[in-house]
């Protein structure tokens, strides 16, 4: 009897123990498993995270979930993250976080966020493992904590109330008072244990939470540079989404330096003082590591600008028809022929037109000019010398005249600087804004290091361009759009003084907005920015900016009006000749008078 009693007692105890220790957690596990089966839809990894004192539940849960096909990974605070490194970087698709209360969320969140596969766009199920008396209150405090720590929007909190399980979530931007902070939670669905466990309604646990109407909620944007086209359109688009916009400009008010302005704007975004930074901020790696860049809505490039080649003066152009040795040969042979003809004429019975040095030189000069001599040479000796000279002068002057006329029309251009090497060698001053130097700092090319060594700063693009216009001895590198914008505000004559250097010493930039890492506004903005690009607003802005700026200055098939001004040089030569002959004439008169004086 005693033995039977003992057995019965032992059996009761066993049954009781089973019931106490496993029944609620079995229910919880089958509820969570149901969520995993029905609401975690993709094949991505499922991460189960638990605090230190949840071993039993964790084991049971993983045992059940692992039956479904997807990979399951267990993470606990303090476990090593080393296995993450060097392995695959596939983003986690789902998280199940087991937590006693709001207090132990922080520790687990830190561990999860530090992992390389962290994905705040995943679906999160936060399971409060102990039954609570006021489920809504508990869900709210857990949700608040989790939102602050993880900034994930697709979060559902599961709390146990009596024998049921309640699913709570929150929706941002419900009104102009309820914006991006968790102020309230909503009961989405329930899971009851009756009939073996099922959801009470078919409500989705992870609905889309980003609204199309932001209900007048505030959004703060910082902009380092406010004079860009997106500054005009973005606020309009945001107004269309019913945001209340506050824009803080960093450039003109506080900073003169664009680089500093961009850096402070980025800091504001990183520290959460603003939601978005926009306005002429390029996509670069250092920034993209810290903040999320948006869709690139504008492309431009950094381009070098140099003074345009100046046209030669006409006199200079004409002197360049022949090279110096040819000119020298022409002059010496002229004198040589004069001497030869003179001495030959004296020896033979030549008329006096060739016997004195002055008349001989005069006649030789007449041949050069293509006009008639005073008298034909009579002797064959002289003819043998003069005849080749006539042919020589005919050939030379034909060539000369051909070039002469074309140089009168277009004297040609001096050489323009066409590469960075030439620029460095030319010794002219060049400068750019400080942040552009960053692009050259990491460059392996020697010429870029030379550029860095020799450059000066000019703080603003329009000042650099003005320097080129003013001095003609300056070069700069800047964004094409900024330069074109400034050029279109200049006079035509000034605009023609600034030329792009070449196409290959330039580097492209893409203009983006930056958001705090994993901001859920990114998608909304990307949609706006894509529509800006697709509707061609960026191209229109370009067109408006470029009014008046023509890139190729020399259009072909243009007729040329040959005016007196182009012949100026010929008239000057004539004038000088007349003056000279007058002087000679006067001298001769005076000399004659003196000779005739008794
Ligand atoms: C914008 O939000 C305000 C505040 O919530 C609301 O009263 C208004 O109707 C909204 N406007 C539009 C066009 O939806």
């Amino acid at each position: 009897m005693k033995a039977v009693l003992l057995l019965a007692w032992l059996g009761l105890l066993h049954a009781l123990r089973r019931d106490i220790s496993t029944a609620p957690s079995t229910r919880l596990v089958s509820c969570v498993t149901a969520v995993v089966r029905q609401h975690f839809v993709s094949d991505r990894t499922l991460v189960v995270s638990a605090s230190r004192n949840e071993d039993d539940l964790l084991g049971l849960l993983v045992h059940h979930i692992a039956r479904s096909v997807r990979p399951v990974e267990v993470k606990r605070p303090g476990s090593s993250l080393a296995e993450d490194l060097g392995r695959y970087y596939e983003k986690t698709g789902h998280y199940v976080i087991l937590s006693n209360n709001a207090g132990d969320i922080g520790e687990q969140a830190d561990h999860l966020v530090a992992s390389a596969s962290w994905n705040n766009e995943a679906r999160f199920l936060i399971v409060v493992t102990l039954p609570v008396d006021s489920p809504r209150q508990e869900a709210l405090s857990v949700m608040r904590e989790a939102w602050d720590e993880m900034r994930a929007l697709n979060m559902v909190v599961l709390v146990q109330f009596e024998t049921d399980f309640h699913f709570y979530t929150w929706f941002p931007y419900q009104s102009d008072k309820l914006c991006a902070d968790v102020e309230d939670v909503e009961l989405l669905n329930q899971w009851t244990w009756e009939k073996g466990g099922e959801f009470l309604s078919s409500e989705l646990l992870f609905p889309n939470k980003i609204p199309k109407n932001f209900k007048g909620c505030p959004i703060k944007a910082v902009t380092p540079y406010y004079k860009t086209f997106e500054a005009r359109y973005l606020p309009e688009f945001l107004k269309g989404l019913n945001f209340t916009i506050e824009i803080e400009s960093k450039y003109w008010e506080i900073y003169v330096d664009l680089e500093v302005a961009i850096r402070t704007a980025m800091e504001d975004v990183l520290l959460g003082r603003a939601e978005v930074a926009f306005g002429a901020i390029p996509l670069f790696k250092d920034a993209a590591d810290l903040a999320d860049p948006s869709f690139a809505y504008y492309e431009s490039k950094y381009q070098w600008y140099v003074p345009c080649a100046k046209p030669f003066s006409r006199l200079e152009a004409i002197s360049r028809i022949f090279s110096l040795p040819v000119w020298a040969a022409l002059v010496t042979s002229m004198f040589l022929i004069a001497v030869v003809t003179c001495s030959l004429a004296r020896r033979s019975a030549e008329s006096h037109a060739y016997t004195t040095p002055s008349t001989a030189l005069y006649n030789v000069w007449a041949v050069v000019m293509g006009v008639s001599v005073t008298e034909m040479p009579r002797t064959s000796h002289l003819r043998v010398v003069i005849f080749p000279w006539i042919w020589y002068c005919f050939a030379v002057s034909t060539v000369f005249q051909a070039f002469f006329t074309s140089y009168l029309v277009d004297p040609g251009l001096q050489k323009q600087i066409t590469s960075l090497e030439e620029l460095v060698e030319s010794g002219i001053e060049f400068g750019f804004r400080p942040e552009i130097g960053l692009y050259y700092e990491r460059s392996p090319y020697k010429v870029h290091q030379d550029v860095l060594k020799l450059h000066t700063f000019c703080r603003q693009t329009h000042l650099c361009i003005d320097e080129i216009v003013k001095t003609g001895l300056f070069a700069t590198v800047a964004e094409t759009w900024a330069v074109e914008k400034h050029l279109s505000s200049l006079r035509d004559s000034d605009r023609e003084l600034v030329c792009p250097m070449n196409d290959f010493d330039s580097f492209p930039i893409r203009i983006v907005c930056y958001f705090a890492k994993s901001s859920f506004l990114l998608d909304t903005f990307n949609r706006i920015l894509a529509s800006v690009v697709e509707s061609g607003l960026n191209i229109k802005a370009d067109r408006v900016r470029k009014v008046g700026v023509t890139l190729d200055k020399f259009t072909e098939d243009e007729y040329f009006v040959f005016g007196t001004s182009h012949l100026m040089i010929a008239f000057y030569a004539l004038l000088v000749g007349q003056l000279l002959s007058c002087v000679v004439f006067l001298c001769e008169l005076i000399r004659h008078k003196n000779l005739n004086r008794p």
Side-chain angles (χ1 to χ4, degrees):
M1 187 62 198
K2 246 186 179 177
V4 172
L5 259 181
L6 188 68
L7 266 178
W9 184 71
L10 270 177
L12 187 67
L13 202 66
H14 186 69
L16 218 58
R17 226 180 88 204
R18 243 183 87 125
D19 204 38
I20 289 167
S21 66
T22 60
S25 56
T26 317
R27 274 187 237 142
L28 185 60
V29 164
S30 51
C31 174
V32 172
T33 313
V35 173
V36 169
R37 292 235 172 91
Q38 294 173 33
H39 295 276
F40 286 2
V41 283
S42 78
D43 291 340
R44 294 242 193 110
T45 317
L46 169 77
V47 167
V48 183
S49 166
S51 54
R52 292 202 178 86
N53 41 13
E54 301 281 0
D55 283 342
D56 292 344
L57 185 60
L58 181 66
L60 198 58
L61 185 62
V62 171
H63 176 72
H64 272 79
I65 293 177
R67 287 186 197 153
S68 49
V69 282
R70 70 178 65 80
V72 178
E73 206 176 306
V74 176
K75 285 200 169 131
R76 353 188 48 186
S79 71
S80 160
L81 285 174
E83 84 252 27
D84 253 17
L85 302 171
R87 225 171 44 142
Y88 63 94
Y89 279 97
E90 196 206 355
K91 296 282 180 198
T92 306
H94 317 276
Y95 289 89
V96 173
I97 298 172
L98 305 180
S99 144
N100 287 331
N101 51 47
D104 69 3
I105 292 279
E107 199 189 3
Q108 296 192 52
D110 286 346
H111 188 68
L112 293 176
V113 172
S115 148
S117 55
W118 166 249
N119 176 16
N120 78 322
E121 284 166 21
R123 294 183 165 184
F124 288 75
L125 178 67
I126 301 173
V127 182
V128 180
T129 50
L130 301 176
V132 292
D133 296 331
S134 51
R136 177 174 288 271
Q137 209 49 45
E138 180 68 17
L140 179 61
S141 65
V142 167
M143 186 60 96
R144 251 193 206 138
E145 183 68 23
W147 172 246
D148 286 347
E149 296 287 340
M150 296 187 281
R151 295 273 146 186
L153 205 54
N154 292 322
M155 278 193 301
V156 170
V157 177
L158 191 166
V159 280
Q160 244 174 112
F161 180 60
E162 293 169 354
T163 57
D164 288 351
F165 297 95
H166 292 194
F167 294 91
Y168 286 94
T169 192
W170 77 288
F171 289 90
Y173 304 110
Q174 291 302 296
S175 76
D176 56 348
K177 303 280 181 307
L178 305 174
C179 291
D181 287 316
V182 182
E183 303 287 350
D184 195 14
V185 284
E186 278 180 38
L187 181 62
L188 269 180
N189 209 336
Q190 293 183 36
W191 200 81
T192 64
W193 187 239
E194 282 149 29
K195 291 189 235 156
E198 63 182 12
F199 289 103
L200 275 191
S201 72
S202 58
E203 195 73 39
L204 288 178
L205 282 190
F206 298 98
N208 177 26
K209 290 183 180 174
I210 302 174
K212 294 215 160 50
N213 183 342
F214 286 80
K215 302 281 170 66
C217 278
I219 182 169
K220 188 169 170 194
V222 278
T223 169
Y225 188 72
Y226 197 66
K227 290 189 169 179
T228 52
F229 82 97
E230 67 267 29
R232 195 147 28 100
Y233 295 120
L234 269 186
E236 292 303 319
F237 277 109
L238 291 177
K239 248 181 239 160
L241 291 170
N242 208 0
F243 270 118
T244 306
I245 313 140
E246 184 194 341
I247 292 181
E248 188 186 331
S249 170
K250 293 281 181 192
Y251 191 41
W252 300 111
E253 284 152 27
I254 322 168
Y255 309 101
V256 193
D257 206 327
L258 186 59
E259 183 203 1
V260 182
I262 288 180
R263 202 179 297 153
T264 22
M266 295 291 296
E267 270 168 23
D268 277 8
V269 169
L270 297 184
L271 298 178
R273 289 195 288 252
E275 272 83 24
V276 52
F278 74 92
I281 312 181
L283 176 64
F284 54 106
K285 187 173 179 302
D286 293 354
D289 285 344
L290 298 171
D292 272 353
S294 72
F295 179 75
Y297 53 86
Y298 187 75
E299 284 183 33
S300 182
K301 61 180 176 181
Y302 282 108
Q303 165 100 52
W304 275 92
Y305 289 88
V306 292
C308 290
K310 292 190 196 71
F312 283 112
S313 76
R314 293 214 154 73
L315 194 63
E316 207 181 340
I318 288 161
S319 73
R320 282 184 333 121
I321 292 178
F322 296 135
S323 60
L324 200 63
V326 178
W327 282 117
L330 199 62
V331 173
T332 24
S333 51
M334 195 174 80
F335 281 103
L336 216 65
I337 296 284
V339 169
V340 169
T341 47
C342 182
S343 51
L344 277 178
R346 278 182 184 176
R347 255 179 239 167
S348 53
E350 191 56 72
S351 70
H352 73 275
Y354 292 95
T355 47
T356 61
S358 61
T359 49
L361 189 62
Y362 175 80
N363 280 324
V364 170
W365 176 244
V367 172
V368 175
M369 288 289 111
V371 293
S372 51
V373 292
T374 46
E375 220 172 298
M376 287 250 289
R378 301 287 171 198
T379 57
S380 55
H381 291 90
L382 212 54
R383 282 182 179 173
V384 166
V385 176
I386 294 279
F387 200 62
W389 176 241
I390 290 174
W391 278 110
Y392 172 69
C393 288
F394 177 69
V396 166
S397 74
T398 308
V399 172
F400 180 83
Q401 277 178 31
F403 279 106
F404 183 71
T405 337
S406 57
Y407 281 176
L408 283 185
V409 172
D410 176 12
L413 296 172
Q414 291 168 351
K415 189 163 166 18
Q416 188 172 308
I417 294 168
T418 55
S419 70
L420 273 184
E421 284 82 359
E422 281 178 25
L423 175 67
V424 170
E425 273 164 25
S426 74
I428 71 168
E429 210 181 326
F430 52 91
F432 39 79
R433 299 196 315 266
E435 77 271 16
I436 296 176
L438 300 178
Y439 284 91
Y440 287 124
E441 260 165 26
R442 296 175 199 163
S443 163
Y445 297 108
K446 181 179 171 294
V447 66
H448 290 168
Q449 300 310 320
D450 289 346
V451 165
L452 268 187
K453 230 180 294 163
L454 296 172
H455 82 285
T456 54
F457 286 127
C458 60
R459 295 266 154 193
Q460 288 169 28
T461 301
H462 67 97
L463 299 180
C464 310
I465 295 295
D466 286 348
E467 188 74 14
I468 298 182
V469 172
K470 214 165 31 179
T471 63
L473 288 171
F474 194 77
T476 189
V477 55
E479 302 90 342
T480 45
W481 66 265
V483 174
E484 278 159 10
K485 187 173 165 200
H486 182 58
L487 285 182
S488 66
S489 71
L490 293 180
R491 280 177 301 160
D492 278 355
S493 57
D494 286 348
R495 208 179 289 154
E496 279 168 12
L497 300 175
V498 182
C499 281
M501 184 170 79
N502 59 29
D503 282 336
F504 48 86
D505 279 313
S506 57
F507 30 99
I509 38 171
R510 285 146 188 261
I511 305 295
V512 294
C513 304
Y514 282 101
F515 294 81
K517 268 265 178 249
S518 51
S519 161
F520 55 83
L521 291 177
L522 187 60
D523 273 348
T524 308
F525 263 74
N526 277 345
R527 262 204 304 280
I528 296 177
L529 295 172
S531 63
V532 165
V533 172
E534 281 164 11
S535 60
L537 289 178
N538 52 349
I539 299 172
K540 182 180 167 216
D542 257 354
R543 228 174 261 159
V544 170
R545 184 166 52 236
K546 273 190 207 160
V547 169
V549 181
T550 45
L551 288 177
D552 43 352
K553 287 167 188 162
F554 302 104
T555 42
E556 306 229 327
D557 298 336
E558 212 178 53
Y559 67 89
F560 182 84
V561 183
F562 198 73
T564 2
S565 65
H566 299 108
L567 287 171
M568 223 41 139
I569 181 87
F571 285 116
Y572 283 139
L574 190 65
L575 204 66
V576 170
Q578 297 289 5
L579 278 177
L580 217 65
S581 50
C582 280
V583 170
V584 171
F585 180 61
L586 280 177
C587 289
E588 280 199 8
L589 269 186
I590 292 164
R591 183 161 168 266
H592 234 75
K593 250 185 194 156
N594 285 349
L595 282 181
N596 291 352
R597 199 173 287 168

